């Protein structure tokens, strides 16, 4: 549910609306923009009567959100999300960002050579897999922590923020410490325990669309991260 307040209300009037909603035991989030005061209401609002709310002279309109994803909806968040990674901005009307790099980090020579090429080509970030999900259990699964260390070395040498894929909750501390954008791969798009854990950190998440997943399922996965408090979600279309 979205509540839009009348223009030019005072801070005291704004707080009085918050008090009224609190008395109704509603979970409220302030999603106001530069020119409008807007509140998002979460949880079960089926018993809330819109007319009783709009009878308040400070409230301009009340709109129910019909989509199952609330925070990932443009109804809830009409403004573009702009994510700043070391001064590089992603989203909205910013320039298209190119991220380049190998499928997996294989050696120091390999990743440093590729990082140099990525930098010279004009891309802004370096990606590389350290923990690699593979269809076969018998093929190369990545250098793991050593791969992360090599990505950090490449970042220090060429000044490129790094992107790498996380596979499990127990690696979150390592990724928060070392990686600039944490990628959730297609196979983990519906790893809900991982998504919930990533919602509790302050780090950009690159969420890839899963194999044969619908757009709604993809947005619901983003909702898990957003609902945890992390609003730095980048949607990455990979095809199905």
């Amino acid at each position: 549910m979205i509540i839009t307040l009348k223009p030019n209300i005072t801070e005291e009037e704004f707080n009085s609306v918050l008090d009224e909603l609190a008395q109704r035991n509603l979970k409220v989030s302030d999603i106001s923009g530069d020119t409008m005061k807007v509140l998002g209401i979460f949880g079960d609002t089926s018993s809330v009567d819109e007319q009783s709310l709009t009878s308040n002279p400070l409230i301009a309109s009340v709109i129910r959100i019909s989509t199952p994803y609330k925070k990932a909806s443009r109804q809830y968040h009409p403004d573009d999300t702009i994510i700043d990674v070391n001064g590089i901005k992603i989203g909205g009307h910013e320039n298209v960002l190119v991220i380049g790099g190998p499928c997996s980090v294989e050696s120091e020579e390999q990743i440093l050579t590729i990082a140099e090429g990525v930098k010279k080509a004009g891309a802004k970030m370096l990606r590389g897999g350290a923990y690699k999900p593979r269809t076969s259990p018998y093929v190369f699964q990545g250098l793991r922590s050593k791969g992360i260390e090599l990505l950090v070395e490449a970042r220090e040498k060429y000044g490129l923020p790094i992107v790498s894929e996380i596979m499990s909750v127990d690696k979150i501390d390592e990724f928060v410490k070392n990686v600039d954008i944490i990628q959730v791969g297609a196979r983990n798009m519906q790893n809900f325990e991982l998504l919930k854990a990533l919602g509790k950190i302050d780090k950009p998440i690159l969420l890839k669309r899963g194999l044969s997943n619908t757009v709604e399922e993809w947005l619901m996965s983003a909702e898990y991260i957003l609902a945890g408090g992390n609003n730095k979600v980048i949607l990455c279309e990979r095809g199905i």
Side-chain angles (χ1 to χ4, degrees), residues 2-18 20-21 30 32-39 50-62:
I2 301 293
I3 297 176
T4 302
L5 305 183
K6 295 282 181 67
N8 303 318
I9 68 170
T10 66
E11 183 175 351
E12 183 179 356
E13 290 172 329
F14 180 70
N15 289 332
S16 73
V17 174
L18 293 178
E20 178 185 341
L21 297 173
D30 183 359
S32 300
D34 295 332
T35 59
M36 297 175 62
K37 289 287 188 182
V38 183
L39 301 173
E50 289 109 308
Q51 289 186 338
S52 68
L53 289 174
T54 53
S55 65
N56 185 325
L58 300 175
I59 294 177
S61 66
V62 177

Side-chain angles (χ1 to χ4, degrees), residues 27-224:
K27 185 179 178 181
V28 182
S29 176
D30 183 359
I31 55 174
S32 300
D34 295 332
T35 59
M36 297 175 62
K37 289 287 188 182
V38 183
L39 301 173
I41 310 299
F42 296 96
D44 183 6
T45 60
S46 59
S47 61
V48 179
D49 180 14
E50 289 109 308
Q51 289 186 338
S52 68
L53 289 174
T54 53
S55 65
N56 185 325
L58 300 175
I59 294 177
S61 66
V62 177
I63 301 173
R64 287 191 181 275
I65 298 178
S66 58
T67 58
Y69 42 89
K70 308 301 182 185
K71 294 195 172 186
S73 168
R74 279 282 189 177
Q75 288 177 285
Y76 175 85
H77 192 284
D79 295 331
D80 293 335
T81 296
I82 308 295
I83 296 174
D84 190 311
V85 182
N86 300 345
I88 301 170
K89 294 183 179 180
I90 305 169
H93 296 287
E94 299 294 328
N95 293 332
V96 174
L97 179 73
V98 176
I99 303 171
C103 174
S104 60
V105 179
E106 298 175 5
S107 68
E108 181 181 39
E109 180 183 8
Q110 175 236 30
I111 193 62
L112 291 180
T113 300
I114 292 176
E116 182 181 19
V118 167
K119 180 80 171 183
K120 288 181 177 178
K124 299 298 183 183
M125 296 188 188
L126 175 69
R127 60 91 63 203
Y131 297 85
K132 290 301 299 179
R134 300 293 192 186
T135 302
S136 170
Y138 305 115
V139 299
F140 179 59
Q141 303 284 317
L143 295 176
R144 304 176 70 78
S145 292
K146 180 61 178 177
I148 296 292
E149 292 173 7
L150 293 176
L151 284 168
V152 170
E153 181 182 344
R155 177 180 60 198
E156 291 174 351
K157 185 169 184 178
Y158 294 104
L160 295 167
I162 56 177
V163 184
S164 196
E165 180 176 353
I166 193 167
M167 294 294 295
S168 57
V169 172
D170 64 305
K171 301 300 180 185
I172 286 180
D173 288 344
E174 179 183 20
F175 274 69
V176 169
K177 179 180 178 181
N178 296 295
V179 177
D180 298 291
I181 296 180
I182 299 174
Q183 175 183 318
V184 175
R187 294 170 178 82
N188 271 314
M189 191 205 84
Q190 290 184 309
N191 182 340
F192 299 121
E193 292 304 312
L194 176 60
L195 299 178
K196 285 189 282 187
L198 293 173
K200 297 176 182 177
I201 66 173
D202 183 26
K203 203 78 167 183
I205 308 299
L206 182 73
L207 179 65
K208 294 184 73 173
R209 184 177 176 182
L211 290 78
S212 297
N213 284 115
T214 66
V215 171
E216 181 171 300
E217 289 170 334
W218 186 20
L219 292 174
M220 288 305 302
S221 290
E223 192 78 6
Y224 268 91

